[in-house]
Amino acid sequence: MKSLFGSLVYCLFLFVSDVYGTYRLNGFDPQQVTAQSYAQRRNNARPPLRTLDLSVTDNSCRSRPLDLVFIIDSSRSVRPGEFEKVKIFLADMVDTLDVGPEATRVAVVNYASTVKIEFLLKAHLNKPNMKQAITRIEPLAAGTMTGLAIKSAMTEAFTEESGARPKSKNIAKVAIIVTDGRPQDQVEEVSAAARGSGIEIYAVGVDRADMTSLRLMASNPLEDHVFYVETYGVIEKLTSKFRETLCEMKVVVVVEDPCKCEARLAFQMQTQAALQEITARLTDMTGRVEQIENILGPV
């Protein structure tokens, strides 16, 4: 009996110490980037299991409120006609969303060798204006600086000054990246930083897209966040799949296995509020265990 209670107290102490050591509330934690990157590398060999299902065509679903940023590749490999297909995809996605000041807000980040914020989350709060702005987007031509685009989205588009809602409102932050090539810069660390800041990332690969990079960018589970289509000619068909996904989206993270690295981060964040109380009770619990041991004696 003595060893049992002693073990319980010891395990609880280790849990509290571990959580404090791997998650900090003040500012961004480099350890979180490392853990996120490790989770992606561990899953990188696994091919995305989710494939395009063209049978999902229901239009009746009302999406949950989102701060949604599209990050679109307009490098030289994307031909003008193909880029028009991407814009049709964006317009179709807007049609499926419940757009408004208190509903879903949308921004578009356009990138090649440079990055251009086409419009911010606060810019267009109704569908007609938003779709009109999409028609005016022009390709940037050279280069594929995907990492720079993700960083720009995180630091410029997903800010309260740009129209993102504060964390207290529990509005999910989602980025959808569309690319047909291989990044010419590093995407692993910046993607981990974006995910660590609370942004859920979906990666859509087209034609010659580098699948390794897509898996490094996307959130876990990869089978739910990595998509691939063979040509831009069918990319608009992904609208039905994203409608299904975004309608099912929940703001609260559900952890299935706290022992997994990627799930563990979410678990630690959810339990942070309770840590202070747990720590305060450790001393009291130790005293009670000693009282029980004195009464029961060794077994």
Side-chain angles (χ1 to χ4, degrees):
M1 180 67 70
K2 179 177 181 180
S3 60
L4 174 62
F5 281 103
S7 297
L8 286 174
V9 173
Y10 180 68
C11 290
L12 186 57
F13 174 76
L14 288 180
F15 168 75
V16 173
S17 300
D18 182 55
V19 173
Y20 272 122
T22 55
Y23 180 72
R24 295 199 301 267
L25 287 176
N26 297 325
F28 183 72
D29 188 351
Q31 290 184 4
Q32 198 171 39
V33 175
T34 303
Q36 287 277 357
S37 297
Y38 167 77
Q40 297 307 91
R41 289 195 302 272
R42 193 184 66 179
N43 287 284
N44 204 28
R46 306 175 187 174
L49 301 179
R50 171 169 282 192
T51 57
L52 179 58
D53 182 2
L54 302 183
S55 64
V56 181
T57 57
D58 180 28
N59 291 318
S60 62
C61 182
R62 183 182 179 91
S63 67
R64 297 173 182 271
L66 307 171
D67 286 336
L68 174 61
V69 176
F70 291 99
I71 304 174
I72 57 172
D73 179 357
S74 66
S75 58
R76 186 173 297 156
S77 61
V78 184
R79 299 177 180 88
E82 294 174 333
F83 192 69
E84 289 302 312
K85 293 289 187 182
V86 175
K87 290 161 64 173
I88 292 172
F89 167 64
L90 297 185
D92 287 347
M93 283 293 298
V94 169
D95 278 335
T96 69
L97 300 169
D98 181 24
V99 174
E102 302 304 319
T104 292
R105 301 181 183 181
V106 177
V108 175
V109 175
N110 187 10
Y111 78 96
S113 56
T114 59
V115 177
K116 180 181 179 183
I117 309 293
E118 295 290 348
F119 56 85
L120 296 170
L121 293 167
K122 65 182 180 181
H124 305 293
L125 300 179
N126 62 73
K127 292 184 181 183
N129 290 348
M130 191 177 294
K131 292 173 69 174
Q132 185 62 37
I134 289 172
T135 65
R136 295 192 292 266
I137 299 175
E138 297 293 336
L140 299 175
T144 312
M145 302 296 286
T146 311
L148 179 62
I150 296 171
K151 181 178 180 180
S152 297
M154 180 174 58
T155 59
E156 297 180 44
F158 281 111
T159 64
E160 291 185 35
E161 293 79 11
S162 298
R165 269 69 64 92
K167 290 184 178 180
S168 60
K169 290 188 176 291
N170 291 324
I171 303 296
K173 291 176 170 49
V174 177
I176 299 177
I177 303 170
V178 180
T179 180
D180 74 338
R182 180 188 298 273
Q184 295 175 339
D185 57 356
Q186 297 298 314
V187 298
E188 182 177 358
E189 288 189 5
V190 69
S191 299
R195 295 191 305 269
S197 70
I199 300 170
E200 185 169 12
I201 301 178
Y202 291 84
V204 177
V206 183
D207 193 11
R208 302 168 297 277
D210 180 56
M211 298 306 297
T212 298
S213 298
L214 294 178
R215 292 192 288 266
L216 286 174
M217 292 186 287
S219 296
N220 286 313
L222 296 182
E223 60 267 25
D224 291 334
H225 292 85
V226 178
F227 296 84
Y228 175 80
V229 291
E230 292 183 353
T231 68
Y232 282 102
V234 297
I235 190 172
E236 66 268 23
K237 301 299 183 181
L238 280 175
T239 307
S240 60
K241 181 55 67 177
F242 272 111
R243 181 189 301 115
E244 174 192 2
T245 300
L246 297 180
C247 287
E248 293 175 349
M249 183 175 296
K250 291 178 171 55
V251 173
V252 178
V253 177
V254 178
V255 178
E256 296 180 355
D257 183 1
C259 295
K260 293 182 179 179
C261 180
E262 58 269 35
R264 185 180 174 190
L265 286 172
F267 181 74
Q268 289 168 351
M269 293 175 70
Q270 292 174 343
T271 57
Q272 181 67 34
L275 287 177
Q276 194 170 21
E277 181 180 354
I278 292 174
T279 304
R281 292 185 178 184
L282 276 175
T283 303
D284 182 60
M285 183 181 295
T286 303
R288 294 187 181 186
V289 170
E290 291 177 352
Q291 291 178 2
I292 293 173
E293 291 174 344
N294 291 335
I295 295 173
L296 297 178
V299 177

